[in-house]
Each structure stands twice: as structure tokens, then as C-alpha cells.
């Protein structure tokens, strides 16, 4: 990232904390060296950001450094936090990382009483899925759907029947326990659902596909609602 982006991320990270954070912890969080953190803190200080603390002790934003709070009610903010925890636990690694980053940015401009309430949120979403093989495949398939790229999959049904298909990935649906891939199957020439945990392998092909009014994710979902 550029220096301006890094300074914004550093400021966001400091805003999200209620206590002093060491340069080492900041460096690990941002993926840079401690020396870079020291230079960036100096840059923020020179630009007028009230940062308290020093090297070896930790850094904390002083008074007057917070932006006005977002216009969320307490329950709205708790709902957002729970939703982001679900994304972190039950999506793929890239979305989990994006959700964590978004959560940190929102925390950075919350009033203290809401920060404290979120930290004490009595709801947990264990992250068992995000490190799994099918979560990684979900990441690949999500990218293929966005890029409208065909993929070849090896699939095994619940009855242990194996097959190989060339499909057009259109989107994914989370049912509270498993993710399913919605795709257009070239073999059947129609929509098919594939559970991610039953996909044994994914190969992205060097071929693109086109969607249409009767072949896209929203159309499939509308058909589900009709039934």
C-alpha cells in the first residue's frame, strides 16, 4: 500500500483502541517494520494528529482525535458486529480479512460506551470453517463467478457417486450449515447446486462464459422464491 494508505490504516487502528499499543503490535497488524511505524507516527504528529506515548511504551490517540460517531443505534451496531463475526467465521479467508478490516474502521469512530459494549458482546461465532479446504475452494469459485470464468470440478454426491463437470459458477448460498455453489452445468444444460464440502477439486479454465436473463444468480434465486 502507499504511504498515505498506510497512514490512514495506522490512524484507523489507533482510533479503534482504548489503550496504548506498542510499535511492535502495530507493525505486526500492518505487516511493516517497527522502524516504519516510528516514521509514520512522526508523520502523523507533524500533520497535527494528537498521538500520546513514545517508542518502547506504546501509542494512544489523545483527545480531539475522534471523528463524530456513526449514526447507528446500539442494537444496530451490535447487529453489524455479529454479522461481521459471521463473515469472519463462515466465509473464505479474503472476505474474513476484509470483514475484520471493516470492523476495525467502524470501531475507530465509535463512542467509548459502544466500544465497551461490543467488547463485552455475549455472542460468539467459532471460526471453524474459514480455514477449511472448502472455504479455500469457495474463494476460488467466488473469483471465477465475478470474472465469469468456467471451471472444471470433481464432485461427490451424498451417496458417494463421483462425477466431473464443466460449470459456469454464478454465486454461492449459505444455508446456516453449508455453502452451496449455484452454477450452470454444461453437461445438464441447466442450473445445478453443488455443496462446497463435496467438491473434491477445482480447476479454473481459460474460457469465459456469458450470463443472460435466464442464466444468472438473481434469476436462479427468483425461481427458488417462486417454489
Amino acid at each position: 500500500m502507499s504511504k498515505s494508505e498506510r497512514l490512514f490504516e495506522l490512524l484507523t487502528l489507533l482510533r479503534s483502541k482504548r489503550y496504548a499499543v506498542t510499535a511492535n503490535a502495530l507493525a505486526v497488524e500492518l505487516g511493516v517494520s517497527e522502524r516504519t511505524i516510528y516514521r509514520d507516527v512522526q508523520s502523523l504528529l507533524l500533520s497535527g494528529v494528537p498521538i500520546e506515548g513514545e517508542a518502547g511504551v506504546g501509542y494512544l490517540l489523545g483527545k480531539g482525535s475522534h471523528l463524530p460517531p456513526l449514526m447507528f443505534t446500539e442494537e444496530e451496531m451490535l447487529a453489524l458486529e455479529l454479522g461481521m463475526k459471521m463473515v469472519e467465521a463462515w466465509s473464505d479467508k479474503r472476505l474474513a480479512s476484509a470483514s475484520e478490516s471493516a470492523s476495525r474502521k467502524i470501531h475507530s469512530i465509535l463512542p467509548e460506551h459502544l466500544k465497551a459494549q461490543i467488547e463485552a458482546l455475549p455472542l460468539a461465532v467459532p471460526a471453524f470453517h474459514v480455514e477449511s479446504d472448502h472455504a479455500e475452494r469457495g474463494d476460488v469459485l467466488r473469483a471465477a463467478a465475478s470474472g465469469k470464468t468456467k471451471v472444471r470440478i470433481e464432485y461427490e454426491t451424498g451417496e458417494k457417486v463421483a462425477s466431473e463437470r464443466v460449470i459456469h459458477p454464478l454465486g454461492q448460498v449459505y444455508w446456516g450449515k453449508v455453502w452451496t455453489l449455484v452454477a450452470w452445468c454444461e453437461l445438464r444444460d441447466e442450473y445445478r447446486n453443488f455443496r462446497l464440502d463435496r467438491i473434491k477439486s477445482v480447476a479454473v479454465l481459460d474460457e469465459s462464459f456469458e450470463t443472460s436473463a435466464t442464466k444468472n444468480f438473481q434469476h436462479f434465486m427468483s425461481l427458488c422464491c417462486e417454489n
Side-chain angles (χ1 to χ4, degrees):
M1 65 178 75
S2 66
K3 181 178 180 180
S4 60
E5 290 174 324
R6 193 176 66 246
L7 290 175
F8 177 77
E9 290 294 332
L10 175 59
L11 186 55
T12 297
L13 186 57
L14 288 171
R15 278 178 173 150
S16 69
K17 304 298 183 181
R18 297 192 296 156
Y19 49 83
V21 189
T22 65
N24 178 258
L26 293 169
V28 170
E29 189 76 26
L30 297 178
V32 298
S33 68
E34 287 188 48
R35 181 170 294 184
T36 297
I37 294 296
Y38 295 141
R39 289 199 298 263
D40 286 351
V41 167
Q42 286 302 311
S43 295
L44 290 173
L45 285 169
L46 290 173
S47 67
V49 177
I51 299 177
E52 301 173 356
E54 58 186 73
V57 177
Y59 298 104
L60 177 68
L61 283 182
K63 292 182 179 180
S65 61
H66 295 281
L67 296 174
L70 293 174
M71 297 304 291
F72 291 128
T73 66
E74 292 188 8
E75 287 196 345
E76 286 173 341
M77 193 60 247
L78 294 177
L80 285 172
E81 182 67 14
L82 179 60
M84 287 184 287
K85 286 183 181 297
M86 288 180 173
V87 172
E88 290 177 36
W90 287 100
S91 61
D92 54 65
K93 287 184 179 179
R94 286 197 298 172
L95 281 181
S97 177
S99 177
E100 186 177 359
S101 175
S103 178
R104 184 165 62 240
K105 288 176 181 177
I106 291 174
H107 287 195
S108 72
I109 53 175
L110 287 178
E112 293 299 314
H113 75 281
L114 267 184
K115 284 184 187 178
Q117 191 167 349
I118 287 173
E119 289 173 3
L121 184 67
L123 297 169
V125 186
F128 297 133
H129 169 85
V130 75
E131 296 290 340
S132 66
D133 291 339
H134 48 277
E136 185 174 345
R137 288 191 288 272
D139 187 6
V140 173
L141 291 166
R142 183 166 57 82
S146 296
K148 295 184 179 180
T149 306
K150 295 182 183 182
V151 300
R152 178 181 291 107
I153 63 170
E154 293 180 353
Y155 191 74
E156 185 176 86
T157 68
E159 292 73 36
K160 303 300 181 182
V161 178
S163 66
E164 184 177 287
R165 311 282 184 95
V166 172
I167 60 173
H168 308 172
L170 301 173
Q172 296 175 39
V173 182
Y174 181 57
W175 298 101
K177 182 180 179 182
V178 295
W179 283 92
T180 60
L181 170 70
V182 175
W184 187 267
C185 177
E186 290 193 350
L187 177 65
R188 303 300 182 189
D189 196 29
E190 61 183 359
Y191 290 120
R192 281 291 187 268
N193 290 318
F194 302 94
R195 278 180 49 161
L196 293 192
D197 58 341
R198 292 177 180 168
I199 296 176
K200 301 305 177 183
S201 69
V202 175
V204 179
L205 305 179
D206 190 21
E207 298 179 61
S208 60
F209 66 86
E210 295 297 328
T211 56
S212 69
T214 55
K215 192 185 83 172
N216 64 73
F217 185 62
Q218 289 73 25
H219 178 251
F220 172 83
M221 295 304 296
S222 70
L223 295 177
C224 291
C225 292
E226 290 176 3
N227 297 329

